[in-house]
Amino acid sequence: MNMEKYKIGILGATGTVGQRFVTLLENHPWFEVKVLAASKSSAGKTFKEAVQNRWILNSKIPKEYENIIVMDVEEDAKKIASEVDFVFCALGGEKEKIKKIEEMYARLECPVISNNSANRMTPDVPMIIPEINPEHVGVIEHQSRRLGTKKGFIAVKSNCSIQCYVPALHPLFDLGIKNILVCTYQAISGAGKTFNTWPEMKDNIIPYISGEEEKSEKEPLKIWGKLENGEIIPNSDINITSQCIRVPVSEGHTAAVFAKFERKVSCEEFIERMRKFKGHEMSRGLPSSTENFITYFNESDRPQIKSERNLENGMGISVGRLREDSQYDIKFVCMSHNTVRGAAGGAVLLAEMLCREGYINK
Ligand code: NAP
């Protein structure tokens, strides 16, 4: 790997996920942040001025970014695209608009690695968890043909809610997963909020997260889908039903999962397979790769948010409470960090893989 770093931009740098990107990339060995961009209301301010009243992380605003002037995602698009090798998209807001913004950057020959859901179900846009389905990068050449680009494309990571239970079930994929029932217990940072900005969440749960159940049921099927005729065809053998609940937790999404397979699996075999699963080789040896992708806990009161969310720098998947079930084959509980593994960290890992595989160039 050449020592010169990739120049990157962050679209939506001032938001919850944007702030995570900024801190994760502070000392990144391959990537150097050159552009921070957001909406018109932040554009023209220094990054510090734009975020100082809504900085949500425990760590301080990185000094080297404090005085960068925030650019306008739309008006400055040409300038941004000419100054960076690729952008991370952490934009919030209306989906149709974000879809257009992402396509605009791709057409400006600037690859987009996105957190946003706007393009997740676009058939020629790969939605990748690098440990699980990196081979979906193959669809990028078809997307580039549609967009008429040489090096511009969009690649996305999946929704934060699925990033603990899809990895936990993946080591059993060859047993024929049939039915999955999942209840997710999701942190308030997933809505871009803190307890200060969302005081109703103190001592409360809200049994509704707009659009989350649809994403939790559909996105795994694309992750487990196949590349055929220039598109990712979602898996049609697996049925998923879900309930997504907002809980009074700052960071970290938990899921209670029940699963049925074509071939019955013992708890011992499941634990053994999870412990051995290191992720696809394309996901290994990158700056953000994990040593242990999945950690299984034998203690009956784990995984817990506070002790497990920062495992593997927030990129690990924690699983526990595996038992046989009377209606499904097995049940278990799993968790992962929603703004690291589930958002910015997952996107950084994906970008690292795309750089090493030659899809993004300096
Ligand atoms: P957020 O805190 O509301 O931040 C939104 C960002 O987008 C801000 O930088 C905002 O700029 C910018 N923005 C909004 N509308 C814009 C527009 N019309 N033009 C240009 N910039 C605009 O949201 P978030 O929680 O970080 O989430 C960002 C995206 O990631 C969402 O699509 C979300 O669904 C997804 N996501 C979030 C999580 C999570 O755990 N939070 C996990 C996975 C995926 P200003 O500050 O200037 O308004």
Side-chain angles (χ1 to χ4, degrees):
M1 181 72 55
N2 188 334
M3 289 307 286
E4 186 199 333
K5 291 188 179 183
Y6 292 82
K7 299 182 183 72
I8 65 136
I10 303 171
L11 311 181
T14 50
T16 305
V17 177
Q19 292 178 22
R20 271 281 169 210
F21 271 118
V22 166
T23 45
L24 281 178
L25 294 169
E26 194 183 354
N27 296 307
H28 195 281
W30 297 0
F31 303 152
E32 187 177 3
V33 177
K34 288 286 182 193
V35 170
L36 300 174
S39 76
K40 286 197 188 341
S41 62
S42 303
K45 295 179 183 164
T46 63
F47 184 62
K48 188 177 176 185
E49 285 165 350
V51 295
Q52 63 187 355
N53 296 327
R54 52 184 170 135
W55 185 256
I56 58 149
L57 304 177
N58 292 328
S59 56
K60 293 205 165 120
I61 304 170
K63 274 254 170 293
E64 60 182 295
Y65 306 134
E66 279 187 354
N67 295 318
I68 294 183
I69 303 294
V70 177
M71 292 170 88
D72 184 318
V73 165
E74 287 181 276
E75 271 183 21
D76 296 326
K78 275 192 183 150
K79 187 167 177 345
I80 295 170
S82 69
E83 289 181 4
V84 300
D85 297 312
F86 71 98
V87 291
F88 287 110
C89 176
L91 292 174
E94 207 248 309
K95 298 298 162 202
E96 275 313 303
K97 185 165 186 182
I98 292 169
K99 201 168 179 179
K100 282 191 187 133
I101 292 174
E102 291 183 348
E103 283 202 4
M104 171 173 70
Y105 275 85
R107 286 185 210 274
L108 288 167
E109 300 294 0
C110 179
V112 180
I113 313 303
S114 184
N115 256 290
N116 196 278
S117 60
N119 268 303
R120 282 191 202 142
M121 297 316 283
T122 307
D124 62 8
V125 169
M127 175 163 58
I128 294 177
I129 299 176
E131 288 87 348
I132 295 178
N133 63 330
E135 69 281 3
H136 285 190
V137 290
V139 81
I140 289 173
E141 61 178 282
H142 301 275
Q143 185 197 140
S144 295
R145 232 170 276 146
R146 170 174 64 88
L147 296 174
T149 57
K150 289 197 177 71
K151 47 180 207 155
F153 65 88
I154 303 160
V156 302
K157 49 150 283 299
S158 69
N159 197 45
C160 46
S161 64
I162 76 165
Q163 303 237 8
C164 56
Y165 62 89
V166 170
L169 286 166
H170 189 70
L172 301 173
F173 189 72
D174 63 301
L175 300 182
I177 303 170
K178 268 167 57 182
N179 295 324
I180 302 169
L181 184 157
V182 58
C183 294
T184 65
Y185 304 90
Q186 301 192 201
I188 60 172
S189 56
K193 298 275 176 53
T194 64
F195 287 113
N196 285 336
T197 57
W198 201 1
E200 308 90 289
M201 278 309 299
K202 287 183 190 159
D203 193 26
N204 197 13
I205 66 168
I206 296 181
Y208 174 66
I209 305 174
S210 175
E212 203 73 353
E213 282 146 8
E214 195 187 358
K215 290 176 198 162
S216 301
E217 292 167 8
K218 285 199 171 146
E219 291 188 13
L221 304 180
K222 185 168 179 186
I223 297 279
W224 281 320
K226 278 209 173 93
L227 171 50
E228 271 172 31
N229 303 322
E231 297 188 344
I232 306 295
I233 309 293
N235 183 299
S236 55
D237 300 328
I238 302 173
N239 300 298
I240 306 177
T241 183
S242 70
Q243 294 224 62
C244 297
I245 295 172
R246 189 72 74 192
V247 295
V249 161
S250 58
E251 307 251 38
H253 289 354
T254 300
V257 184
F258 300 75
K260 201 166 179 56
F261 303 90
E262 299 281 350
R263 165 163 100 63
K264 231 177 164 182
V265 60
S266 70
C267 290
E268 293 71 30
E269 183 182 354
F270 189 0
I271 293 170
E272 176 75 2
R273 280 179 178 236
M274 272 193 287
R275 284 191 167 140
K276 278 193 180 151
F277 185 68
K278 300 284 175 219
H280 193 287
E281 60 182 17
M282 277 165 77
S283 71
R284 297 205 290 266
L286 295 164
S288 304
S289 303
T290 53
E291 272 298 307
N292 295 303
F293 180 40
I294 303 173
T295 303
Y296 185 80
F297 292 88
N298 288 318
E299 297 89 332
S300 52
D301 60 353
R302 291 174 82 184
Q304 288 183 21
I305 292 283
K306 282 192 179 175
S307 45
E308 270 70 79
R309 69 182 153 201
N310 290 322
L311 205 73
E312 298 277 346
N313 298 316
M315 292 293 283
I317 311 298
S318 304
V319 188
R321 303 216 64 215
L322 184 68
R323 289 152 294 151
E324 285 190 3
D325 184 63
S326 57
Q327 294 175 41
Y328 287 73
D329 292 333
I330 48 146
K331 55 189 167 192
F332 62 91
V333 175
C334 54
M335 69 123 337
S336 64
H337 197 304
N338 58 301
T339 58
V340 183
R341 165 56 74 172
V348 171
L349 180 65
L350 171 56
E352 291 166 358
M353 188 192 89
L354 290 165
C355 288
R356 190 173 64 185
E357 298 297 318
Y359 287 89
I360 300 176
N361 294 296
K362 288 173 194 155

